Amino acid sequence: MDPIVITLARQAGQALVAAMASDAWIVVRDGLTRLYGRMGESRAAEVADALEDSRRTVLEGGSPPEVVATRWQGRFEAMLEMYPEQSEGLREVILRATSEVDVDPDQQFRVGGAATVLGNSQIIAHNSGGGTIWP
């Protein structure tokens, strides 16, 4: 897979998790729902539900933020592999998220008190929590 796609997907997963515990959540959730909605209305509904489930999981400490970020990284990679034209839309959501959250890429942040995530780190994990990774 293209390293640029991997980097974009990783940054998107991290920005998403950072937004989960901030005022930027609604902007990011709605932006991603619209992005996936371009691929079909049912996709938008699936993503909206998955985003809310992921947020609840992180905020309640059900999964470490790194794991949730990695799961979304996989989803974003799969989406970009099938729909490369969506990369600019994903970039825009990331930019909105990072400007709303105001996270320096080298800064550490905590989500739900469960774990520390480095804004510019690579998270390596597997989808050990089950579920489906879809584009």
Side-chain angles (χ1 to χ4, degrees):
M1 180 173 280
D2 183 350
I4 294 171
V5 170
I6 293 169
T7 300
L8 176 60
R10 177 182 47 83
Q11 291 172 340
Q14 292 172 346
L16 171 63
V17 171
M20 288 178 175
S22 75
D23 293 337
W25 171 245
I26 293 171
V27 172
V28 173
R29 181 199 61 203
D30 292 351
L32 288 171
T33 300
R34 276 191 304 278
L35 181 68
Y36 275 87
R38 295 177 193 159
M39 294 167 261
E41 195 171 312
S42 65
R43 298 301 297 270
E46 289 174 18
V47 166
D49 290 343
L51 287 166
E52 289 297 338
D53 288 345
S54 293
R55 181 176 190 245
R56 189 172 26 263
T57 297
V58 168
L59 295 180
E60 293 174 358
S63 285
E66 303 91 346
V67 172
V68 174
T70 300
R71 286 181 188 148
W72 279 98
Q73 176 182 342
R75 289 175 174 168
F76 296 141
E77 286 174 1
M79 185 252 310
L80 293 172
E81 195 167 26
M82 289 184 68
Y83 304 97
E85 69 277 5
Q86 299 299 335
S87 63
E88 190 55 40
L90 186 57
R91 253 187 222 97
E92 289 174 16
V93 173
I94 294 169
L95 289 173
R96 270 186 260 139
T98 55
S99 69
E100 293 277 334
V101 176
D102 195 31
V103 173
D104 175 2
D106 297 319
Q107 178 182 349
Q108 294 185 2
F109 56 91
R110 286 194 180 274
V111 180
T116 301
V117 179
L118 293 175
N120 204 21
S121 66
Q122 176 143 3
I123 301 170
I124 300 173
H126 298 280
N127 185 13
S128 59
T132 304
I133 295 179
W134 32 260

